[in-house]
Amino acid sequence: MFLYLLTLGSKVEIDKDHIHMLITIGTRYSVSQHARRIKQATTAKIWKSFPYLKNQFWKEKTFWSDGYFVCSVGNASAEIIRKYIQEKG
């Protein structure tokens, strides 16, 4: 089972058509597994919190698009990445 907690060190910014997230993940599961589980968990929470949205997405019964983009931050500090996310979001 996957559990994602947004801690004080995490950063999330929501844009018109995408979300930037700075998270730390373990190595037990692949990046695609993490992305899939985040989408599954947030979709379930959205349907539960906003049931009327199901009418908006009735055809495919999906909230997120199929794709995702992931990159590692390399040698950049977490603070630099947080600032980038805040400015882009």
Side-chain angles (χ1 to χ4, degrees):
M1 179 176 191
F2 294 79
L3 177 62
Y4 294 95
L5 298 174
L6 297 178
T7 63
L8 257 16
S10 300
K11 181 69 179 167
V12 175
E13 285 291 328
I14 300 171
D15 204 346
K16 185 171 119 178
D17 60 355
H18 63 277
I19 295 176
H20 291 262
M21 297 175 72
L22 173 62
I23 60 174
T24 301
I25 60 173
T27 57
R28 182 174 179 188
Y29 301 101
S30 70
V31 172
S32 63
Q33 286 174 303
H34 285 286
R36 180 175 41 92
R37 293 295 294 168
I38 289 170
K39 287 182 174 187
Q40 288 174 337
T42 55
T43 297
K45 182 73 171 171
I46 288 166
W47 292 157
K48 185 175 180 179
S49 299
F50 307 99
Y52 63 88
L53 287 178
K54 287 184 181 180
N55 297 330
Q56 302 288 325
F57 300 93
W58 64 271
K59 189 173 183 180
E60 294 186 26
K61 295 186 176 154
T62 184
F63 186 77
W64 299 107
S65 63
D66 290 338
Y68 64 92
F69 172 77
V70 175
C71 68
S72 64
V73 296
N75 291 329
S77 71
E79 190 54 42
I80 289 173
I81 302 302
R82 279 189 202 92
K83 185 176 177 184
Y84 170 83
I85 291 172
Q86 187 171 10
E87 291 173 1
K88 290 291 185 181

